[in-house]
Structures are given as C-alpha cells and as structure tokens.
Amino acid sequence: LKRMNAIAKRACYIHWFYQNCTLDRQNKEISSIVGRKYEPLIPTLDIVFNILYQMNISPEIKLLESTCFDRSYKSISIALKAIKNIFCIKEDVYDEKLRVYIKDVYLYKNGTYIYPDKTKFASLSWKK
C-alpha cells in the first residue's frame, strides 16, 4: 500500500473483498476436509482500511455490483487439481474426500462443474 501510494500521481484505486469472500469460505471447508487448522487467506476490507487510515489516508469506499466470478471446470479431476493447487495440498490421500466435496458442493451444468462465487467487492480510492 505504501509503494502504491508513493508511485501514484493523482489517485489510487483498490478493489478489495468486501464480504462473503468465496475463496476464504472454501478454504475453511477444505481445511476441515484435510484436517488442517483454518487460517484466513485474505485480509478483510476493515484491515486494509485501517492500514490506510494509519498512513493518514482516508479512502472513499464504494460497494461494487456484479463482481462475482464463478470457477468452472470441465471435469472433477480438473476441479480436484485446481483445489489442490489453490490450497497447496501435496498429498493424494485426500483425493476421494475432495471428489465427494466437489460432487456435493459444485453445481453441475452442461458437463461443467461450477464453484459459485458470491464474493462482494468494494472499491477503496483516494486522491493524492
């Protein structure tokens, strides 16, 4: 944030997770399946705001509409590979449980497995 502010000439804009961060929700679900302690992946908007405020920056906050991006996969094995990559799961021992999770949680439409994104975003901005 300090570098971004220093480099910007007239204004700064950040689009950040407002609430319902789908990636973090899935992280909680996957952590439970693989027996890992849940740790949030992404700082929430209030943390980013507070960091800026401590830098004497009071950003304007606007809620953004239509900012969801579903993740789609052509097969369970591609979705499984993506989950393992996103959440750094190296072991194959959880593969069957994760396949069941995909079948239970993902939507299946026209041969595609879709993890619906319900993330809401906000824009933080400030003029220099």
Side-chain angles (χ1 to χ4, degrees):
L1 291 171
K2 284 181 183 178
R3 271 190 250 156
M4 181 180 169
N5 189 53
I7 292 170
K9 294 186 189 308
R10 287 184 256 152
C12 289
Y13 298 88
I14 300 172
H15 291 168
W16 202 257
F17 307 95
Y18 168 61
Q19 66 180 157
N20 303 329
C21 178
T22 298
L23 183 64
D24 203 46
R25 186 183 78 230
Q26 188 175 33
N27 177 37
K28 189 180 283 187
E29 295 165 352
I30 298 299
S31 293
S32 168
I33 291 169
V34 302
R36 187 187 288 175
K37 181 183 176 208
Y38 165 71
E39 302 268 345
L41 295 174
I42 302 161
T44 54
L45 182 69
D46 59 327
I47 292 172
V48 176
F49 179 88
N50 284 331
I51 292 169
L52 291 169
Y53 190 77
Q54 288 173 9
M55 295 169 52
N56 293 319
I57 297 170
S58 297
E60 178 181 337
I61 299 176
K62 290 182 186 174
L63 300 182
L64 301 175
E65 299 291 326
S66 304
T67 55
C68 300
F69 304 98
D70 294 342
R71 286 181 275 144
S72 303
Y73 306 97
K74 291 293 181 186
S75 70
I76 287 180
S77 45
I78 294 171
L80 174 63
K81 186 175 180 180
I83 285 174
K84 290 174 77 173
N85 185 46
I86 292 167
F87 300 106
C88 300
I89 301 168
K90 307 272 186 239
E91 307 87 5
D92 295 335
V93 70
Y94 305 107
D95 287 6
E96 193 50 43
K97 287 182 178 181
L98 292 171
R99 280 188 184 92
V100 169
Y101 168 80
I102 292 165
K103 288 178 188 174
D104 289 346
V105 175
Y106 286 45
L107 302 175
Y108 184 72
K109 244 191 218 179
N110 301 326
T112 302
Y113 290 88
I114 303 165
Y115 190 78
D117 185 359
K118 295 180 170 62
T119 303
K120 295 188 188 284
F121 286 85
S123 172
L124 291 99
S125 62
W126 62 96
K127 293 188 185 329
K128 301 271 306 203

